[in-house]
């Protein structure tokens, strides 16, 4: 295996990467670095995020930049602002000991004037998103006549995002003698077209080890009826107390709803989707990166360019329409040679899609069973006990209080004491998972969650005077109701239908009056709530069955240091906070 020293990189670069902690080149680096240092031949590399691709093109390009000249010599194009910033940051780290070398990121959503000023000062390397780069070329602020290297990073993503014309425009403005490097996770027709049109006899790197990271990803799938998807997600989270996950949803609305439900159930979660402003997205990503969030619910588009290591689980709340998207999603975990888990929660009729995915990825998927409530409880208890055992004790500080504590606990023997401490933390989770159902569905059933099998008359439909315009989602509504003091435990809700200015809520018939009493006169985000039985809204047909007592209400999240019942992030104030966030 090649060492970094043997590749011929300059000592100042070797010193910088040694400081970052790179010991040996990754598979992709082992191929690209010598190629780029020794030839001018174009290069196509199949590589995903996590494979070390930034250094794969960054190190050899930096190595060859003439830092005595202020002219822009390398242009790196990538699909998102986040990725542009990430690449520029990585380059800054690689050039820590390289003098007179400037890297400038340019991207939309930020002041173009500031970026122009930075370019005017001279930037040998520019990293940018296609739209902003086009803008700067048209304004004649970014000059490409001295470009020697063009890197198309995540080329497939750039094309998926509709940057085809921008790429054509940019590439046609660069000198013919440039060396073009194309990095892509997949080789689509469009990527081939770009390579045919703009690359000169490129060498293709497509060895079996094209993605070191993804090789360490294990794929699992769970089959549940649609109505149980969210419960399945919670059980997956609960059986992995140290989960650090990204959950992919199809739509912005679903993303927001799942995130709201998780938050109201007490999980450390938030969401990323296109309805958020850039500042909101930055804040969410910052919290996720710092691990203040354990679960990030995101759409594919919003998660593009999100560069986070150590993600333990990628959870596909649905299988994406484009199977290639699955490759991108699962590439978020198992990065830099670490192990990772990719999970698909699918409906009984989706098993054929798993077969297609196995073909696309060339990997086998393992069918798993959603664990029983008892199993989840056991795992949670074990994690809690381990946490107790590893808690450090400040003996000196505690010593002075110990005698009075001992005296207070005097009448409890060891067993009673253990039970008290555990119950304090676990009563909610114990009752939540008590009598919980097996939610695994038979793959052969070929039936989804249409609610067939539910007894008419179980549920009553209520009309509420609050809706989307009050920043209500089904998740916030559930959280809101669970926090109403008058709401008795064990109320089972059915389908929630949030419309623009009102909503419908199904509730178990026997609890109809309790819910009406709790809701009427309550205050949601400054509005007085009025609820009444829906006119003509007798027994409903269709919709999700909510026969179980457990699992359908508020989940008492224990793991990850969150107090049972989710008081830290859930609750009414959070409902308001989230609503406010979306408004701005
Ligand atoms: P990338 O695929 O460029 O997004 O890199 C994924 C992660 O791998 C980043 O955190 C890099 O810092 C890290 N990385 C890249 N090259 C190496 C290497 N040779 N050894 C260890 N980590 C690396």
């Amino acid at each position: 295996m090649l060492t970094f020293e043997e590749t011929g990189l300059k000592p100042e670069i070797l010193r910088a990467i040694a400081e970052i902690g790179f010991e040996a080149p990754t598979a992709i680096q082992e191929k690209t670095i010598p190629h780029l240092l020794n030839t001018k031949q174009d290069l196509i590399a199949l590589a995903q995020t996590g494979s070390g691709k930034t250094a794969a093109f960054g190190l050899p390009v930096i190595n060859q930049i003439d830092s005595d000249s202020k002219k822009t010599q390398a242009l790196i194009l990538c699909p998102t602002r986040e990725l542009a910033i990430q690449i520029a940051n990585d380059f800054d780290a690689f050039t820590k000991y390289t003098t007179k070398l400037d890297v400038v990121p340019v991207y939309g959503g930020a002041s173009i004037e500031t970026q122009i000023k930075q370019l005017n000062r001279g930037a040998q390397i520019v990293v940018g998103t296609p739209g902003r780069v086009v803008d700067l070329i048209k304004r004649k602020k970014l000059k490409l006549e001295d470009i020697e290297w063009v890197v198309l990073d995540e080329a497939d993503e750039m094309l998926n995002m509709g940057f085809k014309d921008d790429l054509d425009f940019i590439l046609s403005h660069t000198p013919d003698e440039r060396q073009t490097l194309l990095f892509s996770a997949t080789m689509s027709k469009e990527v081939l077209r770009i390579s045919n049109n703009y690359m000169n006899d490129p060498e293709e790197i497509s060895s079996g080890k094209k993605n070191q990271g993804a090789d360490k990803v294990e794929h699992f799938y769970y089959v549940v009826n649609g109505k149980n998807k969210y419960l399945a997600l919670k059980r997956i989270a609960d059986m992995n107390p140290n989960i650090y996950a990204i959950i992919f949803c199809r739509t912005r609305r679903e993303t927001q709803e799942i995130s709201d439900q998780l938050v109201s159930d007490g999980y450390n979660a938030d969401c990323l989707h296109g309805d958020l402003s850039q500042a909101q997205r930055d804040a969410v990503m910052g919290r996720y990166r710092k691990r203040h969030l354990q679960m990030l619910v995101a759409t594919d588009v919003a998660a593009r360019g999100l560069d986070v290591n150590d993600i333990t689980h990628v959870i596909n709340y649905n299988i994406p329409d484009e199977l290639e998207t699955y490759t991108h999603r699962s590439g978020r975990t198992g990065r830099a040679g670490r192990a990772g888990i990719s999970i698909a929660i699918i409906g009984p009729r989706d098993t054929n899609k798993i077969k297609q995915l196995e073909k696309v990825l060339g990997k086998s998927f393992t069918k798993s069973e959603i664990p029983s409530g008892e199993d989840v409880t056991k795992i949670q208890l074990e994690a809690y006990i381990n946490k107790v055992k590893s808690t450090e004790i400040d003996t000196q500080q505690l010593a002075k209080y110990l005698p009075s504590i001992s005296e207070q606990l005097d009448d409890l023997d060891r067993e009673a004491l253990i039970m008290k401490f555990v119950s304090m933390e676990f009563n909610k989770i114990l009752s939540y998972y008590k009598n919980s159902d097996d939610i695994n569905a038979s793959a052969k059933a070929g039936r989804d969650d249409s609610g067939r099998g539910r007894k008419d008359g179980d549920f009553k439909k209520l009309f509420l005077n609050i809706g989307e315009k009050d920043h209500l989602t089904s998740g916030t509504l559930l959280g809101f109701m669970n926090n109403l003091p008058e709401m008795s435990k064990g109320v089972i809700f059915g389908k929630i239908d949030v419309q623009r200015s009102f909503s419908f809520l199904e509730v178990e018939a026997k609890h109809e009056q309790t819910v009406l009493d709790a809701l009427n006169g309550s205050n949601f985000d400054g509005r007085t709530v009025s609820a009444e039985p829906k006119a003509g809204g007798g027994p409903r047909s269709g919709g999700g069955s909510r026969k179980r007592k457990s699992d359908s209400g508020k989940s008492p999240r224990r793991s990850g240091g969150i107090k049972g019942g989710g008081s830290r992030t859930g609750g009414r104030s959070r409902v308001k906070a989230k609503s406010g966030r979306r408004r701005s």
Side-chain angles (χ1 to χ4, degrees):
M1 203 172 96
L2 201 68
T3 64
F4 277 122
E5 285 71 20
E6 286 164 348
T7 59
L9 289 170
K10 289 175 179 167
E12 56 268 32
I13 297 179
L14 292 175
R15 185 174 166 203
I17 58 174
E19 238 174 62
I20 302 168
F22 294 1
E23 285 171 5
T26 62
I28 196 84
Q29 291 162 3
E30 220 178 352
K31 300 205 161 181
T32 56
I33 298 174
H35 175 99
L36 297 176
L37 289 182
N38 298 310
T39 78
K40 282 302 257 176
Q41 190 187 4
D42 288 349
L43 181 76
I44 296 178
L46 283 173
Q48 294 184 334
T49 53
S51 55
K53 65 184 170 63
T54 315
F57 58 76
L59 299 176
V61 166
I62 289 167
N63 202 77
Q64 299 177 83
I65 293 282
D66 174 7
S67 50
D68 289 329
S69 159
K70 279 280 173 198
K71 289 179 174 158
T72 302
Q73 298 156 51
L75 175 66
I76 323 290
L77 294 168
C78 61
T80 64
R81 158 197 164 113
E82 286 76 26
L83 191 55
I85 295 171
Q86 182 63 45
I87 294 172
N89 286 344
D90 284 358
F91 276 38
D92 282 343
F94 301 154
T95 55
K96 184 170 174 194
Y97 298 106
T98 309
T99 48
K100 298 188 291 178
L101 201 151
D102 288 298
V103 183
V104 169
V106 295
Y107 43 81
S111 155
I112 196 163
E113 277 75 30
T114 312
Q115 293 171 0
I116 290 171
K117 269 188 210 148
Q118 289 174 321
L119 291 176
N120 285 342
R121 274 185 234 127
Q124 293 97 339
I125 302 178
V126 172
V127 186
T129 50
R132 180 53 59 99
V133 168
V134 167
D135 203 350
L136 288 163
I137 296 172
K138 285 184 176 163
R139 291 179 190 222
K140 302 201 182 329
K141 301 298 176 195
L142 176 59
K143 306 209 169 57
L144 301 181
E145 57 265 20
D146 295 298
I147 288 288
E148 290 190 45
W149 298 273
V150 171
V151 180
L152 303 170
D153 189 20
E154 300 199 0
D156 49 352
E157 284 290 305
M158 287 198 279
L159 292 164
N160 285 344
M161 288 172 78
F163 286 133
K164 176 179 162 291
D165 293 343
D166 288 344
L167 290 182
D168 282 338
F169 178 87
I170 298 165
L171 290 168
S172 63
H173 280 73
T174 54
D176 289 342
E177 320 72 71
R178 66 173 191 269
Q179 187 174 22
T180 309
L181 321 170
L182 185 150
F183 284 73
S184 188
T186 52
M187 195 36 86
S188 63
K189 262 195 212 146
E190 271 303 304
V191 174
L192 270 178
R193 188 193 70 84
I194 288 276
S195 82
N196 288 340
N197 289 356
Y198 293 103
M199 297 180 81
N200 186 14
D201 182 28
E203 169 159 341
E204 281 183 37
I205 295 181
S206 54
S207 72
K209 279 196 142 189
K210 63 193 174 205
N211 183 358
Q212 197 190 32
D215 282 346
K216 293 225 175 181
V217 177
E218 285 186 273
H219 298 266
F220 296 92
Y221 68 98
Y222 296 91
V223 185
V224 296
N225 285 323
K227 64 173 187 279
N228 287 329
K229 263 192 176 179
Y230 179 67
L231 301 182
L233 174 66
K234 285 202 300 187
R235 285 205 199 168
I236 291 166
D238 286 344
M239 72 187 182
N240 293 286
N242 296 318
I243 195 166
Y244 181 46
I246 182 159
I247 298 150
F248 283 102
C249 293
R250 214 190 290 264
T251 63
R252 295 168 185 193
R253 190 174 167 157
E254 185 181 55
T255 305
Q256 184 73 49
E257 285 181 3
I258 300 298
S259 162
D260 286 350
Q261 286 195 22
L262 286 169
V263 169
S264 87
D265 284 344
Y267 296 82
N268 273 332
D270 210 331
C271 57
L272 265 190
H273 57 68
D275 286 346
L276 305 182
S277 71
Q278 190 59 51
Q280 290 169 333
R281 287 166 48 121
D282 288 347
V284 173
M285 291 213 239
R287 288 168 62 219
Y288 186 57
R289 277 205 184 94
K290 287 185 192 144
R291 288 180 166 255
H292 295 172
L293 297 174
Q294 271 192 293
M295 287 190 274
L296 181 69
V297 192
T299 57
D300 290 296
V301 173
R304 276 173 182 150
L306 179 73
D307 178 75
V308 179
N309 283 334
D310 299 331
I311 290 177
T312 57
H313 293 73
V314 166
I315 301 176
N316 295 270
Y317 202 70
N318 346 72
I319 295 193
D321 295 331
E322 293 282 325
L323 295 184
E324 276 179 1
T325 305
Y326 202 95
T327 317
H328 288 287
R329 290 180 174 183
S330 54
R332 304 270 162 208
T333 184
R335 292 164 60 96
R338 298 179 188 97
I341 289 174
S342 179
I343 286 174
I345 304 175
I346 65 165
R349 288 193 289 205
D350 290 334
T351 42
N352 59 334
K353 287 195 188 152
I354 295 290
K355 292 204 181 84
Q356 291 171 23
L357 277 174
E358 288 183 321
K359 271 195 206 143
V360 171
L361 270 84
K363 291 212 160 190
S364 63
F365 280 51
T366 309
K367 182 176 183 298
S368 293
E369 297 278 304
I370 297 282
S372 66
E374 202 180 317
D375 288 343
V376 175
T377 310
K378 220 184 275 171
I379 291 168
Q380 288 275 321
L381 277 166
E382 270 169 25
Y384 175 61
I385 299 302
N386 281 335
K387 205 169 148 200
V388 169
K389 280 169 104 175
S390 60
T391 300
E392 284 188 24
I393 301 172
D394 186 341
T395 325
Q396 233 181 354
Q397 272 293 98
L398 263 185
K400 51 185 167 193
Y401 305 106
L402 215 51
S404 83
I405 297 173
S406 301
E407 196 185 319
Q408 273 183 287
L409 298 175
D410 215 19
D411 55 332
L412 296 175
D413 61 17
R414 183 176 188 271
E415 199 168 324
L417 202 57
I418 291 172
M419 294 224 270
K420 288 264 182 210
F421 273 99
V422 171
S423 300
M424 197 173 73
E425 289 290 326
F426 270 88
N427 269 352
K428 280 189 177 171
I429 207 157
L430 289 173
S431 75
Y432 175 71
Y433 277 122
K434 191 165 72 180
N435 306 326
S436 55
D437 283 351
D438 176 0
I439 56 173
N440 292 290
S442 157
K444 284 186 217 125
R447 230 180 66 169
D448 64 8
D449 62 330
S450 58
R452 280 162 282 185
R454 177 185 144 151
K455 266 190 262 147
D456 279 355
D458 283 354
F459 282 76
K460 292 276 185 189
K461 203 174 218 174
L462 308 184
F463 169 86
L464 272 60
N465 67 331
I466 46 175
E468 277 176 355
K469 71 175 172 43
D470 305 296
H471 315 293
L472 186 77
T473 65
S474 51
T476 53
L477 179 57
L478 273 179
F480 173 68
M481 287 187 300
N482 280 321
N483 281 289
L484 289 172
E486 306 82 6
M487 188 68 71
S488 58
K489 281 204 181 124
V491 174
I492 310 297
F493 299 107
K495 199 176 165 204
I496 296 174
D497 179 12
V498 179
Q499 305 276 334
R500 178 91 194 111
S501 51
F502 56 86
S503 11
F504 296 109
L505 161 72
E506 287 184 350
V507 58
E508 256 187 324
K510 62 181 174 187
H511 289 301
E512 182 185 20
Q513 199 52 49
T514 315
V515 175
L516 284 172
D517 290 345
L519 278 173
N520 269 316
S522 63
N523 185 304
F524 180 83
D525 209 16
R527 277 206 70 189
T528 304
V529 178
S530 143
E532 58 190 68
K534 179 179 177 287
R540 68 181 283 278
S541 56
S545 165
R546 292 290 191 279
K547 285 205 206 107
R548 286 175 317 286
K549 274 236 180 246
S550 51
D551 264 16
S552 51
K554 183 167 175 150
S555 168
R557 175 74 171 149
R558 255 288 324 119
S559 61
I562 307 167
K563 286 264 178 282
S567 56
R568 209 159 76 179
T569 52
R572 211 187 302 209
S573 60
R574 176 67 191 179
V575 170
K576 282 187 181 163
K578 276 201 91 73
S579 305
R581 192 165 70 80
R582 295 177 71 208
R583 199 178 335 187
S584 59

